[in-house]
Every structure is written in structure tokens, then in C-alpha cells.
Amino acid sequence: MSESDGVARPPAGVGLAGLRSAAAGCRACELWQDTTQTVFGEGPETARVVFVGEQPGDQEDRRGEPFVGPAGRLLDQALADAGIDRRDSYVTNSVKHFSHTVKGKRRIHQTPRAEHLRACRPWLEAEFAVLQPEVVVALGATAAKGLISPSFRITRDHGRLLPWTVRLAGSVRR
């Protein structure tokens, strides 16, 4: 599911289940080597809202599910406070493998680098092509960089409604 240029090549027309299955074999960047598994997005294909995080954490990598660790508990509380049922939304990450360093027995989170965001962007685009969400919420600066632009700055751009463009097979869809 990857090419030598370091960018994932998801299959087309396979739905979320097919994408999830294909992503399990992704080798577009080196992050797959020291992780337990690919952590793909989760939620219904009918979701109108998509929440995008940075990357899976240690617990997400071990369980293979997005937002099940401390960040997931925080997201669940925020959604509950806002009156949003998580089961009606789709949650995913800009990077599908856990970027970390090992210190003793612990795996310590490392912010994914630009090449990891670039390698995984086609997975996001493929998810969005299936979902066609009305609203996408970036959960943090790294997620926004993966979605919008490497030049995104949270101090400058937070809270602004920004367009997101999907590039599918050489075309542009807005």
C-alpha cells in the first residue's frame, strides 16, 4: 500500500472497511516498524462530523482503536459537554502509526514529522472521499498541519473556518 516515494497509495472504491484493511499493510514511512499496528479511523460512513487528531498514542496503538487513551477520554467528555454522541461522528488521526521513542519500558510520544503527515495524507483523503463530511474538526496544531498546510499556526489560525481540499487522482474536490 505504499510507494518508494514515501506516500501511501490507498485503494479506491473499497469503503471504510476496505481502507482499514489496506492501511494495516501500510509501509509508506518507517513508523510501522516499531508499532503494534496501524490505527485507522472509526465511526459510521454516514458521519457528518469528523474529528482529526495528531496520531494514535500508546494505548491506541496497543488496542488498534483511535481515541481510547487519555486524549480519548478528554474528547469523550468534550463531546458529552457539547451534546454530541461520539457514535454519530467519525474519529481519525493525521498519522496512522504511533511516533515514539522508548525510555526504559515506556514508549514516549514524539510529534510526527512533516514526512509522516505527507505519507499518511492519502489515507485521510480516502477516508474523506467515502465520508464526505460536512464539518471537519482538527484537534490540535499537528492535526491541522496534516489537514490544511504545514504552515498552519494555531496562534494565528485557531478558531477560523478554513477550507480543506481533497486531491483525488489528480483532481481537486472542494
Side-chain angles (χ1 to χ4, degrees), residues 42-58:
E42 189 173 78
E45 286 192 14
T46 57
R48 294 174 33 211
V49 178
V50 175
F51 294 94
V52 180
E54 173 184 285
Q55 69 171 346
D58 181 65

Side-chain angles (χ1 to χ4, degrees), residues 59-94:
Q59 291 179 34
E60 289 81 2
D61 176 58
R62 293 180 194 282
R63 289 181 48 186
E65 301 172 51
F67 291 93
V68 293
R73 287 190 291 280
L74 183 61
L75 175 62
D76 287 344
Q77 184 61 56
L79 292 175
D81 291 348
I84 299 170
D85 188 339
R86 178 171 166 167
R87 293 172 299 185
D88 294 333
S89 60
Y90 187 86
V91 294
T92 192
N93 286 294
S94 290

Side-chain angles (χ1 to χ4, degrees), residues 138 140-146 148-160 162:
T142 302
K145 287 178 183 194
I148 300 163
S149 166
S151 65
F152 178 87
R153 297 293 175 262
I154 201 118
T155 53
R156 179 189 66 215
D157 298 319
H158 77 282
R160 289 184 36 212
L162 299 170

Side-chain angles (χ1 to χ4, degrees), residues 61-140:
D61 176 58
R62 293 180 194 282
R63 289 181 48 186
E65 301 172 51
F67 291 93
V68 293
R73 287 190 291 280
L74 183 61
L75 175 62
D76 287 344
Q77 184 61 56
L79 292 175
D81 291 348
I84 299 170
D85 188 339
R86 178 171 166 167
R87 293 172 299 185
D88 294 333
S89 60
Y90 187 86
V91 294
T92 192
N93 286 294
S94 290
V95 174
K96 307 301 185 196
H97 287 106
F98 178 37
S99 178
H100 66 279
T101 59
V102 177
K103 291 194 180 182
K105 293 183 180 181
R106 295 185 59 208
R107 299 188 307 167
I108 308 300
H109 166 274
Q110 297 291 300
T111 301
R113 297 188 311 263
E115 62 264 25
H116 303 137
L117 294 168
R118 184 175 63 85
C120 281
R121 178 156 173 127
W123 292 116
L124 277 177
E125 292 177 351
E127 286 173 292
F128 284 31
V130 172
L131 295 165
Q132 299 186 7
E134 292 177 27
V135 176
V136 177
V137 180
L139 301 173

Side-chain angles (χ1 to χ4, degrees), residues 1-3 5-8 25-35 95-99 112-120 123:
M1 291 293 91
S2 62
E3 298 290 328
D5 64 356
V7 176
C26 186
R27 305 293 185 261
C29 73
E30 81 287 353
L31 291 180
W32 69 272
Q33 295 174 358
D34 295 324
T35 59
V95 174
K96 307 301 185 196
H97 287 106
F98 178 37
S99 178
R113 297 188 311 263
E115 62 264 25
H116 303 137
L117 294 168
R118 184 175 63 85
C120 281
W123 292 116

